[in-house]
């Protein structure tokens, strides 16, 4: 019974329940302190779902990366919370034209913010696989060797700042309200947890539209070129348009297929990962450095 609840109810609970709670709290004008509680609750639900119905049991066990991932998540979520708090400052100074649909129902305003942010973040992600300087920082995220929700929050803080800036800057220019930004922040965190989740959940045909774990695992295949697919954060719409969508329902994943084939000894400690992009060794190739013929032959694009 519990496994069925997780398999078919986990994604609706996170998208409708947790995100819905964020929308309700933000719309009510509640203190932004609720952000902290809701983010912690989302992380707790992620861990619970993965233990109740794991896709790969071994991915639930730390492999010397537990403390590092906690550090990444703590720093990056703190930066996310800070960014929400300072939104009114740039909004008051750099808004080009306040054309934000303030009169629309709040939930529709959040959906507008999600849609615009999805495009900016997805294009930045796409560019980070093609521009060497960006790849240096994005490589930190691709060094993961197990696929579980918490490592969705594992990013170099400079790269997270760049991605979020690309997603939020257009919104600020058109008058993004701080309460909508707060709901968006929770939606981003929830999406990253779902996208990297080790829970064996099911979403049916929505796996071709929503950027969830079944599709995102192809993005973490360690062979450059092979893993340059499924860049979307919230949706796969832009991947379909860019020609970077890939999915094979028969494909199974193991830790041996994750990481970076071009940089198998990438640092694993937190501080070393922060420093690596600034070292000569941090220039691991962003261009295709290998291939996996079988994966290419099976992939549906």
């Amino acid at each position: 019974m519990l496994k069925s609840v997780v398999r078919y109810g986990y994604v609706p609970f996170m998208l409708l329940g947790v995100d819905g709670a964020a929308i309700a709290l933000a719309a009510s004008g509640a203190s932004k302190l609720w952000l902290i509680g809701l983010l912690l609750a989302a992380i707790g639900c992620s861990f619970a779902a993965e233990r109740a119905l794991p896709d790969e049991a071994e991915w639930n066990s730390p492999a010397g990366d537990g403390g590092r991932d906690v550090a990444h998540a703590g720093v990056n979520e703190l930066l996310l919370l800070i960014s929400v708090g300072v939104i009114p400052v740039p909004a008051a100074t750099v808004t080009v034209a306040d054309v934000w649909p303030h009169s629309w129902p709040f939930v529709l305003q959040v959906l507008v913010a999600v849609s615009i942010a999805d495009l900016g973040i997805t294009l930045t992600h796409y560019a980070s696989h093609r521009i060497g300087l960006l790849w240096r920082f994005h490589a930190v995220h691709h060094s993961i060797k197990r696929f579980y929700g918490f490592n969705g929050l594992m990013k170099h803080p400079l790269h997270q700042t760049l991605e979020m800036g690309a997603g939020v800057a257009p919104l600020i220019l058109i008058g993004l309200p701080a309460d909508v930004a707060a709901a968006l922040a929770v939606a981003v965190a929830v999406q990253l947890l779902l996208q990297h989740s080790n829970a064996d959940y099911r979403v049916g045909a929505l796996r071709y539209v929503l950027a969830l774990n079944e599709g995102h695992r192809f993005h973490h295949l360690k062979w450059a070129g092979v893993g340059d697919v499924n860049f979307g954060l919230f949706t796969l719409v832009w991947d379909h348009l860019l020609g970077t969508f890939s999915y094979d329902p028969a494909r199974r994943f193991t830790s041996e297929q994750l990481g970076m084939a071009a940089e198998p000894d990438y640092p694993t400690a937190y501080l070393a990962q922060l420093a690596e992009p600034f070292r000569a060794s941090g220039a691991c190739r962003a261009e295709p450095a290998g291939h996996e013929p079988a994966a290419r032959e099976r992939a549906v694009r």
Side-chain angles (χ1 to χ4, degrees):
M1 177 63 179
L2 177 59
K3 291 184 177 181
S4 294
V5 169
V6 173
R7 178 168 283 125
Y8 300 107
Y10 176 51
V11 172
F13 171 77
M14 293 288 272
L15 294 181
L16 301 178
V18 178
D19 283 350
I23 290 171
L25 288 166
S28 71
S31 167
K32 295 299 186 292
L33 291 176
W34 61 262
L35 272 166
I36 299 173
L38 207 51
L39 288 173
L40 291 175
I43 291 170
C45 290
S46 175
F47 277 109
E50 290 171 338
R51 275 145 187 78
L53 187 66
D55 192 68
E56 291 290 340
E58 67 172 310
W59 287 345
N60 281 340
S61 300
D65 53 7
R68 177 204 67 191
D69 290 354
V70 169
H72 273 295
V75 170
N76 291 336
E77 291 312 291
L78 178 61
L79 289 174
L80 193 63
L81 293 172
I82 291 173
S83 69
V84 170
V86 302
I87 283 290
V89 177
T93 57
V94 302
T95 296
V96 174
D98 189 354
V99 296
W100 189 262
H102 297 279
S103 62
W104 289 14
F106 192 80
V107 65
L108 291 183
Q109 294 185 48
V110 174
L111 289 176
V112 168
V114 165
S115 298
I116 295 175
D118 188 38
L119 173 59
I121 293 171
T122 298
L123 291 180
T124 303
H125 191 182
Y126 178 83
S128 297
H129 280 244
R130 285 159 173 75
I131 299 174
L133 179 60
L134 298 182
W135 174 254
R136 280 177 171 264
F137 295 92
H138 185 49
V140 170
H141 180 65
H142 277 272
S143 68
I144 63 173
K145 295 294 181 66
R146 62 187 179 114
F147 204 86
Y148 74 118
F150 208 42
N151 62 25
L153 309 178
M154 180 201 152
K155 299 183 178 186
H156 195 288
L158 291 181
H159 193 266
Q160 171 173 284
T161 299
L162 177 65
E163 279 193 334
M164 288 303 298
V168 175
L171 295 169
I172 293 176
L173 293 176
I174 60 174
L176 173 70
D179 50 1
V180 175
L184 174 62
V186 173
V188 168
V190 166
Q191 188 64 24
L192 289 170
L193 291 169
L194 287 173
Q195 192 176 63
H196 296 81
S197 178
N198 185 33
D200 186 19
Y201 60 68
R202 297 286 188 275
V203 294
L206 287 176
R207 64 192 177 191
Y208 295 98
V209 180
L210 300 181
L212 297 172
N213 65 356
E214 285 187 84
H216 195 67
R217 286 172 183 160
F218 290 87
H219 181 74
H220 279 273
L221 287 169
K222 68 182 182 180
W223 299 275
V226 176
D228 293 340
V229 297
N230 301 349
F231 293 97
L233 174 60
F234 286 102
T235 74
L236 295 168
V237 172
W238 303 111
D239 285 289
H240 286 289
L241 293 175
L242 290 168
T244 55
F245 173 74
S246 180
Y247 182 69
D248 172 15
R251 180 67 189 252
R252 301 298 299 173
F253 296 84
T254 65
S255 293
E256 288 71 27
Q257 299 166 338
L258 306 180
M260 295 178 288
E263 194 75 13
D265 298 319
Y266 198 86
T268 57
Y270 178 69
L271 293 179
Q273 290 194 336
L274 294 190
E276 185 65 12
F278 301 98
R279 301 179 186 276
S281 57
C284 48
R285 297 173 60 184
E287 295 301 319
H291 64 283
E292 188 200 13
R296 285 187 178 278
E297 290 168 6
R298 290 195 302 267
V300 178
R301 294 198 179 189

